[in-house]
Every structure is written in structure tokens, then in C-alpha cells.
């Protein structure tokens, strides 16, 4: 008999449906909600969060979890029970009034961030951002006590289960011992080569959008279960059966938006590939954000910036924009997409300098969470660290500490997952090239099917039935590490 376990499935199904509703409301808020609706949207999201918190805190849930432990379960049911317990621990650690306060504060701060970023006005955002930070620390403190870890580790655990600062510090130390000299040598080598030519615009947004849709289809995206829109900050949201992607466009440069679409399509394909029979259960969710970022970065960086894929894409770009001349040739576009140059904006960074953007944010948010820095000092600290790590200083806060949506929206502890995702992407892609020897030839004709079939079987369909290291170990032969990522950079960029 699995009476207790089945009762748990029913309860968690309700909670997941509420989370899906919240996801759609967040998508609407980021894409088309009028500014005047911000207050009512805050009420809606806060109500959903409180309802979910009340469900996870139902006194009967603890008894059901304990009773289900003694029942005869399948491997997937046992894994689902494990994930239920993890969500129960997180949900019960934080008081309901704090859950509501965080929801209201982060919604208000996210809306205010849009204006502050556009106006380069950190001071205007500071009061609301301080509230979000203070409430996040309070929630992290409560979770840290329940999990037996530091406050930052407790916040990180929300996005990458069981990951801890000690592990991240070791991985990032490996990168920091490798990247500075490597980056300098790549930049010097590229300076000695013919400069990449920049295709001349303007590039109409409608045309960029049409190309993005075509490339999403090539990857395998199902438009009966999702759509592409525009937002201030590119993201992938919605639900597994209704995936909402966004990008942002620049009429002077089509290359950024196209790769942004490919990045978010990687996220979307992961969501669509999650085990269908477990969609409304914790075990059917993505295995943390490091794995999620590995899927987006694998499609964007490993596949779509390859010489092979650009051989396929270059004629499409040339035809769509009525391009002419050597700037539109695949070899030139490859030089453009693999140009290494320190820049201000994380989402536009090349894959060699990108880890420095993440390390910067990781250090700053840890300092803020651990009380080693005041939020009012963030702009100056950001600029100093940008100069130290990348040799550049932002001219304003819009291109500095205000560029990301994560902190205003309450996502503290998220940033390390980007670079851990890049490491995992390199491991997975190396394994794919061994398992599917002609994968690059297939990308050269726009055929992503062999790549996606492998990912579906080895990553997507695993859901949260195993840990990140277990999934990577089964797929690549090793847990998360830096070796494959550094090898990828050396193979692509020399140095």
C-alpha cells in the first residue's frame, strides 16, 4: 500500500499548479503588464505564495512524509519522496508572514528596477533593494538553521540543491588560476589576426524575430507549447507545457539577440523534455539551476557559436538582412562570435570573460549576505571589482550594478550557477561528441535532432531523480569539474 505517498502526490500537485500560475503571472509582468498594474500584481503573487506556504506547512504533511518512508515505493517514487522532503524543509523554515513580505517587496523592487536601470539611478532603487536584501537574509537565516549550513549556502541551496560555498570556491579558484593569463594570450593573438568585420545595419526587429523563430524550430522547439516575446532582461519562464521565452533586440546589432534566443531555447528544451509522467511532482522538475544553465549554454556557446553551426546560419542571416560582402561569410561571423574582449554587460560577454562576471557577482552578494559590505557601497565595490577582474570600469550604474534583474527580484544565491552551468555544458558536449561522432556535421546542416535526442535521454528525462553530480557522472563519467571547460576554451580559442 502506498496510501500516504499517494496523498502526498495529490498535495504536491496542487502546490506545483500554484507555482505554475505564479510563473505565468511573472512572465506577464515582465513582458506586457502595464506599469499601473504593479500593485495588484503584487497582491496576486503574494496571495499565491501565502497559499503555497500554507499547503507546505499543513501539520498533516509531516506525518504523511514519515508514514510514506515505510511504504513500498518504486525508485522514482522514492526519489520523489526525497524531493518532497527537501521542499518541505525549505517551506517550513520560513514564517508565512515573511514569505508574503518577500513576495510583495521583490515584486515592487523588480518594477522599480526597470526605471532605475534606464535612468542609471541606483539611489532611487536603494530603499526597495535594501528591503529585499534584508528579507532575503532573514529567510536565509531561518533556512540555514533548518539545513545546518551558512546563510549564503541556504540561499544557494534553493537554486542548486546541496551545493555549498566551499565547493564553489574550489571550482572558481581553478578558473582564476587559469583564466587571466589565458585571456591575455587570446586577446593578444586575436589582435594579430585580421579584425572581424561587423555587418552593417540597421537590422529590423521584425526580421531578427523571424530568424529567431526559425532557429528555434531548427533546435526542435514546439510552438504549440510556447512562444517568444520581448522583455527588459531575457529569460525563460512559464511551465513545462507552456514555455515562455523572451529576448531583447538592438537594431544596430543582430548577433546578441540571436544568441540570446538560442540560449533561452536551451532552457526551454530542457523544460519541455522533463519526464512527462512526473510534470506536477518535485521529482519532475529540473535538477537545479546549474543543470538548467548547462542546457542553455550548451545550445548557445557549445553548439550555436561553433564554426559548423555558423556555416548553416550565415546564409540565413545574409538573406534575411540583404547582406553583401565578406562580413556575412561564416568565417567572419565565427570570428565575431568568438571575439574575446572584456565588456560591461554579462549577458553579452564572451565565454572566456564571462566567468569573471559571475565571480564578481558571487563575491559581492556573499559580502552583502554575510554583512561584510553595505548595500549603499555596492556601486563603488562593483566598479572596483570590474576594474580588478576585467580591466574596465562602468560609466554608469545601468551598465554596472543595475544591469541584472536577479537581486531586485529576490534571487540571492543564484549567480554561481551560471559558471557551474558552463562547466557542466562543456562536460556534456564533450560526451556528446564521443557518443554522436557526426554531431558537428549535423549542426552544419541545421540538424539539432541527434544532439537533442542525446540530451533528452541523458539529462532532460532524468528530472530531479538524481543529483547534479550523479546525472553528470552517468552521462560524462565525472562529477562537476573545471577540466572539460578549460579544455573547450583552449581548443576553441588557442591562447
Amino acid at each position: 500500500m502506498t496510501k500516504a505517498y499517494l496523498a502526498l502526490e495529490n498535495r504536491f500537485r496542487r502546490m506545483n499548479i500554484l507555482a505554475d500560475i505564479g510563473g505565468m503571472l511573472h512572465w506577464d509582468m515582465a513582458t506586457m503588464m502595464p506599469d499601473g498594474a504593479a500593485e495588484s500584481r503584487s497582491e496576486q503573487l503574494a496571495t499565491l505564495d501565502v497559499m503555497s506556504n500554507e499547503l507546505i506547512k499543513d501539520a498533516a504533511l509531516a506525518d504523511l512524509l514519515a508514514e510514506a518512508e515505510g511504504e513500498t515505493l518504486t525508485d522514482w517514487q522514492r526519489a520523489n519522496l526525497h524531493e518532497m522532503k527537501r521542499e518541505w524543509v525549505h517551506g517550513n523554515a520560513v514564517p508565512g508572514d515573511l514569505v508574503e513580505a518577500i513576495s510583495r517587496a521583490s515584486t515592487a523592487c523588480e518594477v522599480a528596477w526597470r526605471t532605475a536601470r534606464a535612468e542609471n539611478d541606483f539611489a532611487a532603487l536603494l530603499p526597495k533593494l535594501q528591503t529585499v536584501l534584508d528579507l532575503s537574509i532573514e529567510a536565509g537565516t531561518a533556512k540555514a538553521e533548518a539545513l545546518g549550513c551558512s546563510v549564503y549556502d541556504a540561499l544557494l541551496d534553493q537554486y542548486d540543491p546541496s551545493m555549498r560555498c566551499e565547493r564553489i570556491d574550489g571550482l572558481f579558484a581553478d578558473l582564476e588560476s587559469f583564466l587571466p593569463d589565458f585571456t591575455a594570450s587570446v586577446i593578444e593573438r586575436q589582435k594579430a589576426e585580421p579584425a572581424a568585420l561587423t555587418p552593417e545595419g540597421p537590422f529590423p526587429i521584425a526580421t531578427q524575430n523571424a530568424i529567431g523563430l526559425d532557429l528555434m524550430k531548427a533546435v526542435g522547439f514546439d510552438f504549440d507549447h510556447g512562444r517568444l516575446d520581448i522583455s527588459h532582461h531575457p529569460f525563460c519562464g512559464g511551465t513545462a507545457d507552456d514555455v515562455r521565452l523572451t529576448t531583447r533586440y538592438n537594431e544596430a546589432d543582430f548577433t546578441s539577440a540571436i544568441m540570446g534566443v538560442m540560449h533561452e531555447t536551451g532552457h526551454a528544451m530542457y523544460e519541455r523534455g522533463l519526464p512527462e509522467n512526473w510534470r506536477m511532482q518535485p521529482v519532475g522538475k529540473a535538477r537545479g539551476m546549474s543543470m538548467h544553465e548547462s542546457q542553455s549554454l550548451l545550445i548557445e556557446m557549445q553548439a550555436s557559436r561553433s564554426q559548423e553551426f555558423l556555416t548553416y546560419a550565415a546564409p540565413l542571416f545574409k538573406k534575411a538582412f540583404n547582406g553583401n560582402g565578406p562580413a556575412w561569410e561564416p568565417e567572419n561571423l565565427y570570428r565575431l562570435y568568438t571575439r574575446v574582449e572584456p565588456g560591461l554587460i554579462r549577458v553579452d560577454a564572451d565565454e572566456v570573460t564571462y566567468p569573471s562576471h559571475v565571480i564578481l557577482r558571487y563575491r559581492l552578494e556573499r559580502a552583502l549576505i554575510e554583512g561584510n559590505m553595505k548595500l549603499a557601497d555596492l556601486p563603488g565595490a562593483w566598479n572596483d571589482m570590474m576594474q580588478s577582474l576585467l580591466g574596465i570600469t562602468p560609466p554608469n550604474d545601468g551598465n554596472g550594478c543595475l544591469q541584472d534583474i536577479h537581486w531586485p527580484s529576490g534571487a540571492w544565491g543564484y549567480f554561481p550557477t551560471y559558471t557551474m552551468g558552463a562547466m557542466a555544458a562543456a562536460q556534456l558536449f564533450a560526451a556528446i561528441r564521443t557518443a554522436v561522432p557526426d554531431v558537428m556535421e549535423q549542426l552544419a546542416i541545421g540538424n539539432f535532432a541527434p544532439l537533442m535526442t542525446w540530451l533528452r535521454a541523458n539529462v532532460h528525462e532524468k528530472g530531479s531523480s538524481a543529483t547534479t553530480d550523479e546525472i553528470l557522472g552517468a552521462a560524462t563519467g565525472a562529477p562537476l569539474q573545471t577540466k572539460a571547460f578549460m579544455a573547450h576554451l583552449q581548443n576553441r580559442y588557442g591562447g
Side-chain angles (χ1 to χ4, degrees):
M1 292 290 290
T2 56
K3 184 177 179 181
Y5 171 79
L6 292 176
L8 287 167
E9 277 201 352
N10 287 331
R11 288 168 178 261
F12 276 87
R13 183 176 185 277
R14 292 192 209 104
M15 285 184 266
N16 277 294
I17 290 173
L18 288 176
D20 283 351
I21 295 170
M24 298 309 296
L25 289 175
H26 275 290
W27 168 82
D28 177 76
M29 183 172 70
T31 56
M32 57 183 62
M33 184 191 80
D35 290 342
E39 186 174 346
S40 64
R41 182 54 46 86
S42 176
E43 288 286 333
Q44 294 160 3
L45 290 170
T47 298
L48 284 173
D49 287 341
V50 169
M51 290 172 65
S52 294
N53 190 252
E54 289 173 347
L55 287 173
I56 199 90
K57 286 181 175 174
D58 186 335
L61 205 58
D63 293 335
L64 289 171
L65 288 168
E67 187 178 341
E69 276 290 349
E71 296 180 337
T72 301
L73 305 176
T74 66
D75 290 343
W76 274 87
Q77 288 174 333
R78 184 67 59 186
N80 194 32
L81 181 60
H82 178 273
E83 293 303 306
M84 289 174 175
K85 287 182 178 179
R86 196 183 79 81
E87 292 192 6
W88 181 84
V89 170
H90 273 276
N92 277 267
V94 183
D97 58 349
L98 179 54
V99 170
E100 182 175 3
I102 291 173
S103 181
R104 293 180 185 278
S106 58
T107 300
C109 191
E110 182 178 334
V111 173
W113 164 79
R114 299 176 196 171
T115 301
R117 182 175 186 268
E119 297 178 356
N120 303 308
D121 192 351
F122 179 78
L125 187 67
L126 180 58
K128 286 183 169 62
L129 188 59
Q130 184 70 61
T131 299
V132 173
L133 173 60
D134 291 344
L135 293 171
S136 297
I137 292 173
E138 187 176 350
T141 301
K143 291 188 176 189
E145 184 175 347
L147 294 168
C149 62
S150 72
V151 175
Y152 187 86
D153 281 342
L155 295 173
L156 173 65
D157 194 85
Q158 299 171 122
Y159 304 105
D160 203 329
S162 301
M163 182 58 69
R164 297 293 181 260
C165 289
E166 183 179 4
R167 177 99 181 273
I168 295 173
D169 289 342
L171 293 168
F172 284 5
D174 282 349
L175 290 181
E176 287 190 278
S177 68
F178 165 76
L179 283 174
D181 291 343
F182 177 77
T183 303
S185 66
V186 171
I187 290 174
E188 285 303 308
R189 181 179 59 76
Q190 290 187 348
K191 284 181 180 178
E193 297 174 346
L197 303 173
T198 302
E200 294 185 4
F203 307 104
I205 289 175
T207 306
Q208 293 187 55
N209 177 259
I211 293 173
L213 295 175
D214 285 343
L215 293 179
M216 289 170 67
K217 291 175 186 175
V219 177
F221 186 78
D222 180 1
F223 284 94
D224 285 336
H225 289 279
R227 54 183 287 141
L228 173 67
D229 292 279
I230 300 173
S231 67
H232 291 273
H233 191 101
F235 72 94
C236 175
T239 74
D241 288 311
D242 185 4
V243 190
R244 304 300 177 95
L245 292 72
T246 72
T247 192
R248 59 189 180 201
Y249 296 102
N250 179 355
E251 289 196 327
D253 175 20
F254 73 90
T255 60
S256 177
I258 294 301
M259 285 301 156
V261 169
M262 299 305 279
H263 181 98
E264 301 306 334
T265 301
H267 281 305
M269 295 300 289
Y270 186 18
E271 286 294 319
R272 287 291 301 136
L274 292 169
E276 189 170 356
N277 292 338
W278 297 94
R279 284 276 166 86
M280 293 299 172
Q281 296 299 315
V283 75
K285 296 180 181 179
R287 176 70 292 169
M289 290 313 302
S290 291
M291 189 61 77
H292 229 310
E293 293 300 338
S294 79
Q295 300 308 287
S296 59
L297 291 169
L298 192 152
I299 296 300
E300 178 200 354
M301 294 296 187
Q302 303 285 332
S304 299
R305 292 180 189 255
S306 69
Q307 286 181 309
E308 290 82 0
F309 174 75
L310 290 169
T311 298
Y312 164 76
L316 303 181
F317 299 158
K318 184 176 180 179
K319 181 179 179 180
F321 295 116
N322 297 313
N324 189 32
W328 295 91
E329 294 303 311
E331 296 79 7
N332 183 68
L333 291 176
Y334 179 69
R335 288 201 300 273
L336 274 177
Y337 273 127
T338 57
R339 180 171 52 193
V340 176
E341 182 179 7
L344 296 170
I345 306 301
R346 175 186 61 84
V347 297
D348 295 332
D350 60 82
E351 60 183 336
V352 177
T353 61
Y354 191 99
S356 295
H357 287 266
V358 173
I359 290 170
L360 176 150
R361 289 155 174 78
Y362 168 60
R363 289 178 175 167
L364 291 176
E365 71 176 7
R366 269 192 74 180
L368 289 166
I369 292 295
E370 294 172 355
N372 297 320
M373 186 175 79
K374 294 180 179 179
L375 187 58
D377 296 330
L378 178 61
W382 181 290
N383 293 351
D384 290 345
M385 198 172 291
M386 279 289 287
Q387 183 63 44
S388 174
L389 291 174
L390 290 164
I392 52 178
T393 301
N396 54 59
D397 291 338
N399 286 317
C401 64
L402 286 176
Q403 66 180 267
D404 295 306
I405 196 173
H406 302 65
W407 293 337
S409 67
W412 297 85
Y414 185 109
F415 277 116
T417 65
Y418 284 114
T419 288
M420 291 188 291
M423 298 175 198
Q427 281 182 235
L428 290 166
F429 202 70
I432 292 168
R433 296 188 69 166
T434 298
V436 188
D438 69 338
V439 67
M440 302 311 294
E441 288 83 355
Q442 294 301 315
L443 290 175
I445 59 174
N447 182 16
F448 279 78
L451 171 62
M452 296 313 305
T453 297
W454 191 94
L455 287 174
R456 182 69 59 92
N458 290 278
V459 178
H460 301 176
E461 292 179 350
K462 304 294 184 183
S464 286
S465 64
T467 67
T468 296
D469 279 338
E470 287 169 346
I471 293 172
L472 285 174
T476 73
L480 183 66
Q481 55 187 232
T482 59
K483 182 179 178 181
F485 179 61
M486 292 190 288
H488 160 68
L489 295 182
Q490 289 172 320
N491 291 336
R492 175 170 282 181
Y493 297 93

